Amino acid sequence: MYNSKILGLGKYLPENKVTNKDLEKIMDTSDEWIQERTGIQERRHIVKGSDDTTSSMGVKASKIAIERAGISPQDIDLILFATLSPDYYFPGSGVLVQEALQIPDCPAMDIRMQCSGFIYALATADQFIKTGMYKKVLVIGSEYHSGGLDMTTRGRNISVIFGDGAGAAVVSRAENNEKGILNTQLHSEGKHAKELSLIGPNTGRWVPEIMEENNPEDSSYYPYMNGQFVFKNAVVRFSQVISAGLEKAGWKPDEIDMLIPHQANLRISQFVQKKFGLRDDQVYNNIQRYGNTTAASIPIALTEAWEEGRIKEGSKVVLAAFGSGFTWGSVVIKW
Ligand code: UT7
């Protein structure tokens, strides 16, 4: 059995910044409300008509990750693409990345685990590397939210939160089993599936019916979130899954060099920080600048933390996520 490690990281954010003040102009919200409840100051939104898509952002992030890993796209033998906003209903976005990067025949798998998508994808990559089945796995988290949000006051509890962007990692075999990914924790609880969901277009609702209804009042085409319920579950599950990862690694909280929580809400990150008694420099947050980019939030934050030199050889890193499903998980890494 081999340990796996992250060999290269990359990120891509669309240039277009949307500030809270911009949102004040189109819906009944305020900079004050958004900052106080979520910590968000601005997020990136793809401009309508631009060339950016979920897969193309993933490709841009991947190119950087592959170059930093010192390999070529042809060395990739598995692609894992985490998203809740794929380019198409089908096929998945993984095959589009494969084609764009000219990666020869290899499995390209989409992971549909929402905010926990990157954690699930990393855990999957780790398992395939452990067994020796694959050697270079490209793991991507990418989201294009802005085209599917209700940007009226009706959708304000969701639409002020989400942003677009992508992050990617090349995962390969570690030199020894003392470093790399030490353990992964994955969970889901389907009884809360509808508490954070988008149920409008589905296989039980036939397309001709939907077209006939043509009902602008129908909000089921937009994401729905029972905010307070999700929040309460998030703080509990984040804490549990971080504790489980630390315990398995035999680490105490004060040994963590960098905790990267999924960027759901700054208040959730602060709650978790306080719970584990962590200093500010032990936790990475960038939700202030990018909003919540679901499956992309951890790889974007991880890339930034690494670019800033806050993660280096030997660093003890913990990644953790919670989101729709409900799903939650963590990955513990000795860099
Ligand atoms: O990434 C996946 C996991 N996601 C999460 O973990 C998110 C969890 N939930 C949250 O982060 C928070 O619940 C929200 C940020 C979504 C909402 O914050 P909240 O403190 O739970 O607010 P609330 O939903 O209880 O709403 C409080 C008030 C309501 O008005 P009334 O009924 O008190 O008059 C809302 O209508 O705030 C109102 N409101 C807004 N006001 C201004 C909701 N959204 C907005 C808004 N601007 N954008």
Side-chain angles (χ1 to χ4, degrees):
M1 296 283 260
Y2 307 96
N3 268 16
S4 64
K5 68 168 187 179
I6 293 181
L7 197 60
L9 286 163
K11 69 177 197 303
Y12 172 79
L13 279 308
E15 272 175 30
N16 178 38
K17 288 180 188 172
V18 177
T19 65
N20 295 343
K21 290 274 174 208
D22 292 330
L23 296 178
E24 281 180 4
K25 291 176 200 147
I26 55 173
M27 63 179 79
D28 181 11
T29 189
S30 66
D31 178 40
E32 195 192 357
W33 190 97
I34 300 171
Q35 288 213 45
E36 194 186 303
R37 307 281 176 136
T38 70
I40 300 168
Q41 295 164 14
E42 60 186 32
R43 70 288 292 143
R44 305 294 177 93
H45 280 181
I46 290 173
V47 174
K48 192 165 187 253
S50 98
D51 291 337
D52 278 336
T53 62
T54 306
S55 62
S56 78
M57 290 193 294
V59 167
K60 287 173 185 165
S62 297
K63 282 183 177 165
I64 298 167
I66 289 169
E67 200 193 322
R68 286 174 173 169
I71 63 167
S72 74
Q74 289 67 40
D75 297 319
I76 301 291
D77 49 14
L78 170 66
I79 300 167
L80 298 170
F81 196 110
T83 188
L84 63 71
S85 51
D87 297 52
Y88 311 133
Y89 204 79
F90 73 85
S93 298
V95 294
L96 304 178
V97 170
Q98 180 192 18
E99 175 59 15
L101 291 176
Q102 292 293 289
I103 298 173
D105 178 13
C106 82
M109 197 194 298
D110 276 31
I111 307 247
R112 296 288 307 273
M113 307 309 290
Q114 305 68 252
C115 302
S116 310
F118 190 78
I119 295 290
Y120 268 74
L122 212 47
T124 308
D126 179 50
Q127 293 302 314
F128 277 121
I129 300 245
K130 269 193 163 47
T131 58
M133 185 157 176
Y134 298 114
K135 292 195 176 66
K136 298 276 182 295
V137 185
L138 177 60
V139 182
I140 303 162
S142 181
E143 300 290 3
Y144 182 172
H145 281 294
S146 58
L149 297 173
D150 180 355
M151 299 304 283
T152 69
T153 298
R154 181 179 65 175
R156 65 183 179 173
N157 72 318
I158 293 244
S159 52
V160 302
I161 296 174
F162 291 111
D164 303 335
V170 173
V171 183
S172 76
R173 202 180 273 181
E175 297 82 50
N176 60 59
N177 285 1
E178 306 302 312
K179 62 189 284 193
I181 294 180
L182 302 183
N183 72 72
T184 61
Q185 316 285 325
L186 301 178
H187 299 272
S188 31
E189 190 177 31
K191 74 176 168 187
H192 300 309
K194 289 196 176 166
E195 304 296 348
L196 177 47
S197 58
L198 195 168
I199 59 169
N202 67 55
T203 47
R205 211 162 164 210
W206 291 21
V207 173
E209 277 174 30
I210 294 172
M211 290 170 78
E212 202 172 306
E213 284 168 21
N214 189 20
N215 175 10
E217 301 303 316
D218 184 356
S219 61
S220 70
Y221 299 103
Y222 295 115
Y224 164 81
M225 174 159 67
N226 182 350
Q228 291 199 4
F229 185 73
V230 174
F231 192 105
K232 282 179 196 146
N233 278 267
V235 291
V236 172
R237 296 310 195 184
F238 263 113
S239 305
Q240 287 174 345
V241 88
I242 293 168
S243 292
L246 288 178
E247 196 178 312
K248 194 138 186 232
W251 297 354
K252 297 269 174 292
D254 64 2
E255 289 177 66
I256 298 175
D257 292 304
M258 188 54 71
L259 168 67
I260 300 190
H262 158 55
Q263 302 292 289
N265 182 325
L266 191 60
R267 284 161 59 212
I268 294 177
S269 295
Q270 287 166 341
F271 179 95
V272 171
Q273 176 177 343
K274 202 165 162 209
K275 163 127 188 132
F276 288 96
L278 303 176
R279 301 179 309 271
D280 287 350
D281 63 285
Q282 288 177 284
V283 186
Y284 198 86
N285 288 303
N286 60 9
I287 189 170
Q288 300 91 330
R289 289 175 282 130
Y290 304 137
N292 176 346
T293 56
T294 51
S297 91
I298 289 180
I300 292 172
L302 186 58
T303 303
E304 278 197 349
W306 177 82
E307 286 169 347
E308 291 167 14
R310 293 176 63 183
I311 295 175
K312 27 190 186 298
E313 186 81 20
S315 294
K316 293 180 171 177
V317 179
V318 178
L319 315 177
F322 172 86
S324 157
F326 291 150
T327 59
W328 63 103
S330 64
V331 176
V332 171
I333 309 172
K334 175 89 182 292
W335 211 264

